Structures are given as structure tokens and as C-alpha cells.
Amino acid sequence: MPLDVPTFTKEFNRARDRIRGGQPVDIAAEQERLRAMVPADASEHDRSWTARVIASLSEPPPPAREWSELYHEAGRIHAAAYPVDGTVEEQITALQQARRRIWEIADRAPADEEADIRAMTRALEHLENELRDPSCPEQDE
């Protein structure tokens, strides 16, 4: 009987979420439950990758990403750009200014944060485009 990959994957993800969810969980029991899902006659490939991912459940998760103050500053600018009151032109101006300021911050940011900071401008750009022409939804490029 072949491995039911979608079901195994779904159950693995649920187990991982329970383990990382902050509540006490019997990791060995979770791993044993997943091992029982792998048929004895599964392919060597399926036995190998399922064994690796099951074993990974006992590894501590990586530490949470610690962002620089520049990243947080860009996030504050991004958040403040949304509730702008005023005319359409005033809203567009506020969005343009926020995007410009975020790009300037990205220019000064550590290399591993630069792209994430620049990505904050995409939603602002979409809002600006919608304000400019609400009848024309943007197409993905």
C-alpha cells in the first residue's frame, strides 16, 4: 500500500503546530502516531523522507527572527500610511511619501532585511493605484 502523502502531510503539519503551540505535548507520542501512518511496504524514498520529517519534530524550532530598529521604523511608517483622511490627492501623496521613506530606510538596512522592508511598499503601491483608478483592478505582473 503506498503512502497517503496528502494525509501524512496534513497530520504532520497538525502535529508540528501542536508541538510548537506552547502547550505541553508528548512529542514521542506524536512521532509514533506519524510513524504508524507509514505503511510497511512504502517505498524507500517515502520511508526516508517521512523518517527525516518525523525526527525533526524533536528538534527545537529556530529562534524568532529579531528585526532591526530600521525594520520596525519602516513598519510604523507603513501602518501610519493607511488611515489617512483627506482628498484622494492627499491620500495618494501620503502613500507616495510613505513608500519613499520606506525605500530610504531599506537603503540603510542590513542586507538580510532590505528586501523585506522594500516589500512593505507593495501594498501601499496597490492602494495608490486603486485610488488613481478605482475602476481598473491591477493585473499581476
Side-chain angles (χ1 to χ4, degrees):
M1 172 194 315
L3 174 68
D4 183 348
V5 174
T7 300
F8 177 85
T9 302
K10 180 176 70 173
E11 291 304 314
F12 170 80
N13 289 336
R14 287 179 176 170
R16 185 190 58 213
D17 291 346
R18 281 190 295 274
I19 291 168
R20 294 186 179 167
Q23 299 297 320
V25 176
D26 184 346
I27 295 173
E30 292 286 348
Q31 290 174 315
E32 190 55 40
R33 186 178 61 77
L34 291 168
R35 283 186 195 102
M37 294 180 68
V38 180
D41 61 349
S43 71
E44 177 59 35
H45 171 77
D46 286 345
R47 284 194 312 274
S48 175
W49 75 263
T50 56
R52 278 194 315 276
V53 298
I54 291 169
S56 74
L57 291 174
S58 62
E59 298 169 3
R65 173 87 188 250
E66 292 198 26
W67 298 98
S68 72
E69 179 52 35
L70 289 172
Y71 181 90
H72 293 295
E73 180 184 350
R76 289 188 294 272
I77 292 167
H78 180 266
Y82 284 96
V84 174
D85 292 325
T87 67
V88 169
E89 283 306 313
E90 289 169 334
Q91 292 176 47
I92 289 171
T93 298
L95 291 167
Q96 288 174 324
Q97 289 173 348
R99 287 175 48 221
R100 180 186 48 75
R101 290 176 62 204
I102 291 169
W103 274 83
E104 289 171 355
I105 290 169
D107 289 341
R108 301 187 329 259
D112 66 334
E113 291 184 357
E114 183 179 351
D116 294 301
I117 293 172
R118 290 190 200 289
M120 292 182 198
T121 65
R122 286 296 286 159
L124 301 179
E125 181 181 13
H126 289 293
L127 285 174
E128 181 183 332
N129 290 339
E130 179 67 23
L131 286 169
R132 288 184 188 283
D133 186 359
S135 67
C136 183
E138 282 195 346
Q139 300 294 318
D140 285 334
E141 298 170 5

